Amino acid sequence: MTSMSHTHVASADGNASAVSGSRQQAPQRVPSRVRLSLIMMLGVYPIITALLYVVLPLTAGWAIWQITLVVVPMMVPMIVFGLTPFIQKTFGRFIQVPAKR
């Protein structure tokens, strides 16, 4: 009777799983910060532009720090809860690159 060796590997979500020693593991992939930043810029630009088109007429004559104080609390949740999950779901394969060994 032969026994297969198993190695416990922690996945990205922290759960350990047994990997057979005879199987070839897929190359590990990591997010590319350059690719993520490029995609994020493409998504953040229209959000900021749209918010400024809405807010600037309402804040005519205000100091820039006051306008920013109004725009940032609207912008951040849009990016954190809307744009970022959309980018991860839609462009996840593009953002992930093979890890360097």
Side-chain angles (χ1 to χ4, degrees), residues 8-19:
H8 289 284
V9 178
S11 62
D13 60 356
N15 295 328
S17 62
V19 177

Side-chain angles (χ1 to χ4, degrees):
M1 188 156 123
T2 62
S3 68
M4 293 184 90
S5 64
H6 291 287
T7 306
H8 289 284
V9 178
S11 62
D13 60 356
N15 295 328
S17 62
V19 177
S20 174
S22 62
R23 289 191 208 160
Q24 181 74 17
Q25 284 186 341
Q28 186 176 0
R29 298 178 68 80
V30 295
S32 166
R33 290 183 183 181
V34 172
R35 289 181 181 190
L36 178 59
S37 65
L38 291 173
I39 298 295
M40 289 292 288
M41 278 190 279
L42 293 174
V44 169
Y45 177 79
I47 291 173
I48 293 173
T49 304
L51 284 173
L52 289 175
Y53 270 115
V54 171
V55 171
L56 287 179
L58 303 172
T59 58
W62 290 22
I64 191 73
W65 68 268
Q66 294 169 321
I67 297 169
T68 306
L69 192 64
V70 172
V71 170
V72 169
M74 292 186 287
M75 179 185 66
V76 171
M78 288 178 176
I79 292 170
V80 171
F81 297 110
L83 181 64
T84 302
F86 173 77
I87 287 174
Q88 289 173 341
K89 182 179 178 182
T90 308
F91 298 102
R93 293 183 64 108
F94 171 74
I95 294 168
Q96 297 290 324
V97 295
K100 294 182 180 180
R101 294 182 179 215

